[in-house]
Amino acid sequence: MAYMRRVEYGLKDTSRSVTVPADPAAKLMYYLDSMCTVLKLDDNSDINELRQFRNYSYLTHSDRNVLMHLCLLLKPDILLNKCIFQNDALCGNMANKFYDLEAVRNNLLVAGSVVIGGRTRQVTKIMTFKMSWLQANWSSPMQVLAARQEQERLQILRRQQTGQSCAIL
């Protein structure tokens, strides 16, 4: 790990303003997109499709399961204080911000690399966030989507059982 001393100049904000649809799947897709931005996980076309949060309505039940699994692999507890930091001051008037790592000089202990799914990823960016961002884009959507997925799973099972019963008769 590299320790960066406090210097109040030279921060390079690389954030972009986005509007995320008010749907739990879209919120998790945005969370995934944010973590992929920080960790440079853009080398997998399947993951890249799940990052397109504006296209959330096209996700299948299976896609949403994969999305949830990926978000659990990249959960905040694993990345906190390594490449994502809860820091209201660095967020300013936004809920989250991205910074180029080489530009950050604000008393942050930053990991040089992070192991995700058995692969080492170099940390080249960091993201700062307010707790409200984490609640809106990870915690709450994960709970809502998990419940929704379970309801859909049960409906699929009921349909399959009904279809099997009819086939037997």
Side-chain angles (χ1 to χ4, degrees):
M1 291 197 188
Y3 183 73
M4 306 189 122
R5 286 194 280 226
R6 184 175 188 82
V7 176
E8 292 298 327
Y9 62 90
L11 291 177
K12 184 176 179 192
D13 183 352
T14 59
S15 304
R16 59 184 170 34
S17 181
V18 298
T19 301
V20 181
D23 181 89
K27 299 285 187 181
L28 280 180
M29 291 170 82
Y30 175 61
Y31 175 82
L32 177 63
D33 181 56
S34 297
M35 296 309 102
C36 286
T37 297
V38 169
L39 297 169
K40 288 202 170 196
L41 296 174
D42 53 7
D43 56 356
N44 185 304
S45 61
D46 293 331
I47 290 177
N48 287 340
E49 286 183 27
L50 291 174
R51 295 172 65 181
Q52 306 301 315
F53 53 87
R54 289 176 189 89
N55 297 331
Y56 73 94
S57 62
Y58 297 108
L59 293 182
T60 66
H61 180 81
S62 179
D63 292 336
R64 288 189 301 271
N65 281 338
V66 171
L67 172 64
M68 291 175 63
H69 181 73
L70 287 170
C71 287
L72 285 171
L73 286 174
L74 299 171
K75 68 182 181 177
D77 296 354
I78 294 171
L79 302 175
L80 190 62
N81 296 326
K82 294 176 183 159
C83 57
I84 63 171
F85 300 86
Q86 194 277 314
N87 188 313
D88 291 9
L90 284 176
C91 289
N93 63 350
M94 295 178 73
N96 70 318
K97 282 193 174 186
F98 296 91
Y99 293 94
D100 281 340
L101 182 60
E102 60 270 12
V104 175
R105 309 264 192 276
N106 203 349
N107 256 1
L108 299 175
L109 185 60
V110 179
S113 62
V114 176
V115 177
I116 302 292
R119 293 179 64 190
T120 301
R121 294 290 180 170
Q122 293 302 108
V123 177
T124 59
K125 276 188 172 293
I126 65 162
M127 183 188 83
T128 60
F129 64 91
K130 295 180 180 177
M131 287 307 290
S132 59
W133 182 90
L134 193 62
Q135 178 66 31
N137 294 290
W138 195 86
S139 304
S140 181
M142 187 64 82
Q143 291 173 347
V144 172
L145 197 56
R148 188 181 293 173
Q149 288 294 99
E150 181 61 17
Q151 285 179 330
E152 283 184 22
R153 186 185 72 78
L154 292 174
Q155 289 173 349
I156 291 168
L157 284 174
R158 281 188 211 112
R159 276 187 248 141
Q160 288 174 345
Q161 289 172 347
T162 303
Q164 289 172 353
S165 298
C166 293
I168 294 171
L169 294 175

